[in-house]
Amino acid sequence: MIGGRPIPFTDDDRRLLTDFVAVPSVSPLEGGDPAECERAQDLFQSAASKRGFQVVLHAAAPAAALQAYGVPAQVLAAAEADPEFLRRQPSVVIGLGDPATVDRTLIFNFHADTVGPHIPPKWIQDRLHARGAADDKGPGVAALIGVAAAYADRPEIARTTRVLIASVPGEEGGAMGVFGTRWLVDSGFVGRLMVFAEPTGMRSLDACSATMTAAIRVAGVDATDDHPTDGHNATVVLGWMASWLARRLGPIVSAQGAKLTIAGLHTGHQHNRVYGTGELKVNIAYYTAAAAPVLEDALVCLISQAREAFRDDHGDLAIVRRVLEDWDQIVGLVWLKRGIPPLANEDAAGREVLAIAGLPWADGIADGSAFTCDAVWAGGSGRYVVACGPGRLDDNGAHTPDEWIDLRDLEAYAGRVRDLVHAFADWTSVKGPM
């Protein structure tokens, strides 16, 4: 391990961090205003420019980016409802060093959008409590400071090594990076080493899960409590379906090394109405491309068997008679998200460079710490992709009202980013391409 010295944040660094997380760039899919994402990106670009970075790109993905396979249904619906959806959520790519070939390019990536609701920043001693503090604006600011320090300490590396930092929209809310990271990768913004600055405890995870999401929907008619047998009782159907799928689909998912979440059950709120419409969501996180079709087929097959299984359990109940009569017309499966590739790559040279910088490899699948992020779009021949950043999703309260980051963790990460830039420059210059 080289260096290892943290980079103390200056007053300007702390001000940038505070101002950046203060922008309420909540994903539009989580109820946010897309204009705030644009404002956050403007702030980040301005701060980077003042620190000597070149602006390589500041642009939004074109509409064609949403025509590719695998775009989640909620993204398509949001873009259709708002003509400004994409334009107000640009990506920003900034860089230091002379233009270089892919094998001499190092890329850091973080997302500027957050989950909701927004939490304004509050410092308690050296701990920042704010939405985005750990996931993912704080790590992005630390990466910016670390890269700047690397070139300030060794300006000669600018002749041989190019480092880019991509600030992207569309990671949260189930958007899966399709109009941020995926578009950038498809546009050629790739490097020999690509680091997604997600909170991993500063361990390098080179495997990330992908997710598929389906909705089981009942589209029948309501009834009142005066005539409860006249309606299609979606509540009974979907309540039973949640338990039945947990028992039947759960073991299949586990056998594939995947994770099953059953959630989002909703029909209505009243006590005196039979709800004929409703929805149940099924989410599966998987780690291998081979598992995806197995899991898709398993869910489709089970839904095709559900009517007879439900009849066996409830066939003598009057309140579900109408559902059973009309099942094929009112009960169905709709895919909200599928076709997302998991990240699974290995690279001995890449792991060595990361270890030299104090960012060691960890088997996130084996220890259960691997998670879904838009690094899944970055894998490919000739590059090594990892998720690696300060803090941890669970420990730092990401996606909860208690999200926070310790300034010492950001300073430590900035120092290791600086060391990684130096290690990458040394490796590619002395030994050639990694």
Side-chain angles (χ1 to χ4, degrees), residues 266-352:
H266 181 73
T267 55
H269 298 289
Q270 300 302 317
H271 69 284
N272 59 351
R273 174 167 292 277
V274 172
Y275 290 97
T277 61
E279 181 178 84
L280 173 70
K281 291 188 175 71
V282 177
N283 192 74
I284 304 173
Y286 53 95
Y287 296 95
T288 67
V294 174
L295 296 168
E296 287 185 29
D297 291 347
L299 180 56
V300 171
C301 182
L302 285 171
I303 297 304
S304 72
Q305 300 169 6
R307 178 181 183 176
E308 292 310 311
F310 183 78
R311 185 190 299 276
D312 290 344
D313 285 352
H314 298 83
D316 58 342
L317 297 179
I319 60 172
V320 297
R321 181 187 66 244
R322 192 170 181 190
V323 171
L324 285 168
E325 291 173 351
D326 301 331
W327 185 285
D328 290 342
Q329 288 73 47
I330 65 170
V331 180
L333 173 71
V334 177
W335 287 103
L336 303 180
K337 178 174 60 188
R338 59 175 169 170
I340 310 295
L343 175 68
N345 63 165
E346 299 180 7
D347 189 306
R351 289 179 180 176
E352 181 177 347

Side-chain angles (χ1 to χ4, degrees), residues 182-374:
R182 185 187 196 182
W183 173 60
L184 290 180
V185 170
D186 289 347
S187 300
F189 286 93
V190 296
R192 177 63 181 85
L193 179 59
M194 301 181 68
V195 179
F196 284 72
E198 294 276 349
T200 66
M202 288 191 279
R203 304 174 312 146
S204 296
L205 309 181
D206 56 13
C208 293
S209 59
T211 57
M212 62 178 71
T213 306
I216 299 152
R217 293 174 177 167
V218 178
V221 299
D222 292 357
T224 68
D225 59 341
D226 293 321
H227 303 284
T229 60
D230 289 353
H232 296 105
N233 200 312
T235 305
V236 174
V237 172
L238 295 174
W240 170 86
M241 189 80 74
S243 174
W244 186 71
L245 285 175
R247 289 183 285 109
R248 297 293 299 276
L249 183 60
I252 299 172
V253 171
S254 295
Q256 293 294 320
K259 299 177 183 179
L260 172 66
T261 300
I262 298 176
L265 173 57
H266 181 73
T267 55
H269 298 289
Q270 300 302 317
H271 69 284
N272 59 351
R273 174 167 292 277
V274 172
Y275 290 97
T277 61
E279 181 178 84
L280 173 70
K281 291 188 175 71
V282 177
N283 192 74
I284 304 173
Y286 53 95
Y287 296 95
T288 67
V294 174
L295 296 168
E296 287 185 29
D297 291 347
L299 180 56
V300 171
C301 182
L302 285 171
I303 297 304
S304 72
Q305 300 169 6
R307 178 181 183 176
E308 292 310 311
F310 183 78
R311 185 190 299 276
D312 290 344
D313 285 352
H314 298 83
D316 58 342
L317 297 179
I319 60 172
V320 297
R321 181 187 66 244
R322 192 170 181 190
V323 171
L324 285 168
E325 291 173 351
D326 301 331
W327 185 285
D328 290 342
Q329 288 73 47
I330 65 170
V331 180
L333 173 71
V334 177
W335 287 103
L336 303 180
K337 178 174 60 188
R338 59 175 169 170
I340 310 295
L343 175 68
N345 63 165
E346 299 180 7
D347 189 306
R351 289 179 180 176
E352 181 177 347
V353 170
L354 288 158
I356 290 171
L359 302 169
W361 172 78
D363 190 341
I365 294 179
D367 67 21
S369 62
F371 53 87
T372 300
C373 68
D374 54 9

Side-chain angles (χ1 to χ4, degrees), residues 16 43-55 94 144:
L16 167 59
L43 188 155
F44 180 74
Q45 176 186 304
S46 176
S49 297
K50 291 176 182 177
R51 293 165 188 261
F53 285 81
Q54 303 99 31
V55 178
I94 50 129
L144 176 76

Side-chain angles (χ1 to χ4, degrees), residues 26-181:
V26 173
S27 164
L29 302 182
E30 297 253 347
D33 180 353
E36 295 295 348
C37 183
E38 186 175 33
R39 190 158 72 89
Q41 297 290 50
D42 287 345
L43 188 155
F44 180 74
Q45 176 186 304
S46 176
S49 297
K50 291 176 182 177
R51 293 165 188 261
F53 285 81
Q54 303 99 31
V55 178
V56 180
L57 175 82
H58 187 154
L66 301 187
Q67 296 173 5
Y69 182 69
V71 176
Q74 59 264 46
V75 173
L76 294 173
E80 183 177 357
D82 179 8
E84 299 291 291
F85 179 79
L86 287 178
R87 189 185 69 78
R88 303 307 294 269
Q89 297 182 87
S91 291
V92 169
V93 180
I94 50 129
L96 286 177
D98 296 338
T101 55
V102 169
D103 58 11
R104 294 186 182 275
T105 300
L106 167 61
I107 295 180
F108 293 91
N109 177 298
F110 75 97
H111 59 90
D113 64 321
T114 72
V115 300
H118 178 65
I119 302 171
K122 178 175 64 174
W123 285 95
I124 301 178
Q125 295 181 339
D126 284 337
R127 179 172 289 185
L128 175 61
H129 298 257
R131 181 70 76 202
D135 183 23
D136 194 27
K137 294 177 180 178
V141 170
L144 176 76
I145 292 166
V147 172
Y151 281 86
D153 289 352
R154 292 177 53 185
E156 75 278 3
I157 66 174
R159 297 192 301 271
T160 61
T161 305
R162 179 74 153 162
V163 179
L164 303 177
I165 302 176
S167 176
V168 299
E171 200 271 354
E172 300 289 12
M176 290 300 300
V178 293
F179 54 88
T181 293

